[in-house]
Amino acid sequence: MKFALLSSLALYFIFSCSSPDNTAETLTIITGQVSDFSKVSEHNELNIKFRDPVAGDQVFSGTLDSTGFFRMELDVEYPREFQLNYSGYLQYFIYPGDSLHFEIDGLCWSKISETRAEEYAYYTVGGTSEAMNRNVALFTSVFQDSLSQWAILDSVVRGSGPMEFRAFVDERTMDRQDFVGSFSLKHEASEDFRDLAQRKITIAGWSDLIMYCWHKPSRENLDRVEFIQTLPDAYFSFLDEWVREDRSYLMNSDFEHFVQQYQMILDQLVPLDTQQYYQDIWQEDFARAAAYRPRYYMEAETGYARDLLIATYYYSLLDAKYYEKIKDIVDTSQIADDRARALVAEKYSYEKDLFENMVFTDGTHFGEITEAENFFDILIEKYPDKVIYVDYWATWCSPCMNEMPYAKKIKKEFEGKDVVFVYLANRCEDDAWKA
């Protein structure tokens, strides 16, 4: 790890610890009340999820008390969308320092919602951003129910050449932008809402155009890399619309998905002989192969977009528990943006501490399973008369890693009882899954 990590990490903690006024400004409170909670008391947990282009899904969990009330305090750095996950996944918006309150109808668990609008009907939001969130909820329900027609989009993918599909998406994006304008006028929406909605439409169009690069070859049994590399330059001209230094895209949760997709497209545009070379050395020299991508992004992109790509790449490798393999090639001096650099620095420090201080509890057994045919028979024979909880996961599986804290919570609840917990790590090296 280069010296830049240590300096940026020091700055990050100095800033965090020496600026109490800043913390007070970003402290955000979310409360809520579920009606008729006694009838749905088994549903006593919810979470708030932010999507970050560098750190991925950031999930904060809360527990409802016996009356159905919850309260969460979060440090929100900048205005952004978030998901409230209780009976469904509903999109809202929050400013630093906000105080939001949700009234949730307990009937949300007993009735099936066929549209997003019906789901939102069970939730009423109040507080400092009530008007903004009323429009966000209404627009999101309309956008997802009426404007996103995946079956139609798939048929267009199948029947269109690249520039035909590009024209289709461009026209649809213009229609959607017109809808944002009329919606904003009708509901007297704020300028912040209009900007948020217009970016959402724009990002959705970009994502659909990138999606075509994957779906078209898969639908027609074409070589994906060859297909992408032979697309006309004019097809990708939509990327010129992306103002690379504009950080306001961070307010939109969809931006995280777009950055991931764009990163994959860039990777496919690497010359075929270069791709093959690094694939060949990946197993024997992981660090050398891994070091290529940041250098490539430095040449392929500029400004904040370059910072995001490099930071996302380093963060994802660290999150996949490859610290031991990449510890000497992570170079945060390549990342100019303070926040992106700090996120990588913090993640590096966390994974370093985790790796160097691995502690295994008594009764932990390590073993490699190569013949799985009789595995469960062996488990039952080894632990007769016990309940066996099997968790099938992987270090490279983001949902698996997000779920791990809940798995640990379940294990703790059954501690001392006749329950055995078995964790099967799929295609993970020892250093990764032990960490």
Side-chain angles (χ1 to χ4, degrees):
M1 182 64 178
K2 306 293 176 65
F3 176 75
L5 169 63
L6 300 178
S7 60
S8 66
L9 189 58
L11 287 171
Y12 179 76
F13 282 115
I14 289 171
F15 177 79
S16 299
C17 298
S18 63
S19 304
D21 291 340
N22 182 75
T23 302
E25 291 174 2
T26 60
L27 180 64
T28 305
I29 299 173
I30 300 177
T31 60
Q33 178 69 53
V34 177
S35 65
D36 296 321
F37 184 66
S38 60
K39 299 177 182 178
V40 293
S41 58
E42 68 273 20
H43 301 292
N44 64 347
E45 291 190 356
L46 54 72
N47 66 62
I48 301 294
K49 182 169 77 172
F50 298 98
R51 296 175 65 185
D52 185 275
V54 175
D57 290 347
Q58 300 170 307
V59 182
F60 302 88
S61 300
T63 302
L64 284 67
D65 67 16
S66 59
T67 68
F69 177 81
F70 68 88
R71 175 188 172 92
M72 300 178 70
E73 295 185 359
L74 306 171
D75 184 16
V76 178
E77 302 171 79
Y78 53 87
R80 62 197 302 192
E81 289 183 299
F82 71 94
Q83 276 188 353
L84 175 66
N85 301 335
Y86 183 54
S87 63
Y89 299 88
L90 302 182
Q91 200 86 4
Y92 293 98
F93 191 83
I94 199 164
Y95 292 93
D98 258 353
S99 179
L100 301 181
H101 180 77
F102 289 89
E103 290 290 334
I104 305 174
D105 189 338
L107 288 175
C108 62
W109 289 104
S110 59
K111 293 188 177 181
I112 298 175
S113 299
E114 297 184 356
T115 66
R116 296 293 280 171
E118 290 178 3
E119 281 189 290
Y120 272 107
Y122 293 110
Y123 293 73
T124 302
V125 60
T128 50
S129 298
E130 178 179 347
M132 177 70 165
N133 276 297
R134 187 168 57 246
N135 285 328
V136 166
L138 180 58
F139 176 78
T140 302
S141 64
V142 174
F143 179 78
Q144 294 185 348
D145 282 344
S146 301
L147 298 179
S148 295
Q149 303 178 45
W150 292 108
I152 295 176
L153 189 63
D154 184 64
S155 67
V156 176
V157 169
R158 291 174 182 270
S160 301
M163 298 312 297
E164 290 177 294
F165 185 75
R166 171 68 194 271
F168 167 80
V169 172
D170 287 349
E171 183 178 354
R172 189 186 57 175
T173 298
M174 290 179 63
D175 291 341
R176 290 178 169 185
Q177 295 290 10
D178 289 343
F179 174 77
V180 171
S182 60
F183 179 96
S184 298
L185 287 173
K186 178 180 179 181
H187 298 280
E188 300 180 344
S190 67
E191 193 66 28
D192 279 357
F193 169 80
R194 182 190 291 264
D195 290 344
L196 181 77
Q198 287 177 336
R199 279 193 305 272
K200 180 180 284 290
I201 297 299
T202 298
I203 293 170
W206 295 346
S207 296
D208 286 345
L209 289 170
I210 292 179
M211 176 274 297
Y212 178 85
C213 300
W214 314 116
H215 284 237
K216 183 68 171 181
S218 67
R219 295 292 187 272
E220 300 186 5
N221 296 318
L222 303 173
D223 181 90
R224 185 176 65 191
V225 175
E226 182 178 344
F227 176 79
I228 292 173
Q229 295 202 353
T230 56
L231 284 171
D233 291 342
Y235 182 84
F236 290 109
S237 64
F238 69 91
L239 293 170
D240 296 336
E241 301 170 19
W242 177 16
V243 181
R244 300 305 202 261
E245 293 296 338
D246 188 354
R247 287 160 172 75
S248 66
Y249 291 108
L250 290 172
M251 298 168 67
N252 291 76
S253 59
D254 302 327
F255 184 58
E256 179 244 5
H257 181 57
F258 164 72
V259 171
Q260 289 180 347
Q261 289 183 310
Y262 177 57
Q263 190 170 42
M264 289 189 291
I265 283 292
L266 275 185
D267 293 344
Q268 298 300 318
L269 292 174
V270 172
L272 291 175
D273 57 343
T274 304
Q275 288 191 40
Q276 188 60 52
Y277 172 75
Y278 284 104
Q279 285 176 6
D280 291 343
I281 69 170
W282 194 265
Q283 293 296 326
E284 60 188 54
D285 194 345
F286 188 96
R288 183 182 171 194
Y292 169 74
R293 293 264 197 91
R295 296 197 305 271
Y296 169 58
Y297 297 147
M298 296 265 305
E299 296 176 1
E301 262 300 347
T302 60
Y304 182 55
R306 178 176 62 196
D307 292 340
L308 281 181
L309 293 172
I310 296 173
T312 299
Y313 178 67
Y314 282 144
Y315 197 101
S316 63
L317 287 179
L318 290 167
D319 201 41
K321 306 303 177 185
Y322 285 121
Y323 164 79
E324 172 66 9
K325 291 181 177 294
I326 67 167
K327 61 182 180 181
D328 296 325
I329 64 109
V330 176
D331 182 2
T332 56
S333 69
Q334 298 169 323
I335 307 169
D337 180 74
D338 291 340
R339 181 179 180 275
R341 186 173 63 251
L343 284 171
V344 175
E346 184 181 20
K347 183 64 173 177
Y348 182 96
S349 179
Y350 173 81
E351 296 298 337
K352 178 177 184 289
D353 181 68
L354 200 64
F355 181 82
E356 293 179 351
N357 298 283
M358 289 188 291
V359 177
F360 303 115
T361 58
D362 293 340
T364 301
H365 303 279
F366 302 120
E368 181 177 357
I369 302 170
T370 55
E371 298 293 335
E373 185 176 347
N374 300 318
F375 174 70
F376 289 102
D377 291 335
I378 295 171
L379 269 183
I380 294 170
E381 183 178 342
K382 186 172 183 178
Y383 302 107
D385 302 321
K386 292 183 182 290
V387 174
I388 302 174
Y389 175 97
V390 179
D391 192 330
Y392 190 71
W393 68 291
T395 58
W396 41 262
C397 168
S398 295
C400 302
M401 299 304 291
N402 290 335
E403 190 184 62
M404 191 57 70
Y406 302 103
K408 291 180 178 179
K409 182 179 179 181
I410 293 175
K411 183 178 180 181
K412 188 172 182 62
E413 288 180 0
F414 286 91
E415 191 172 351
K417 299 181 180 180
D418 287 337
V419 181
V420 175
F421 289 82
V422 178
Y423 300 91
L424 302 179
N426 180 35
R427 292 184 286 119
C428 304
E429 298 188 15
D430 283 356
D431 290 344
W433 70 264
K434 289 178 183 178

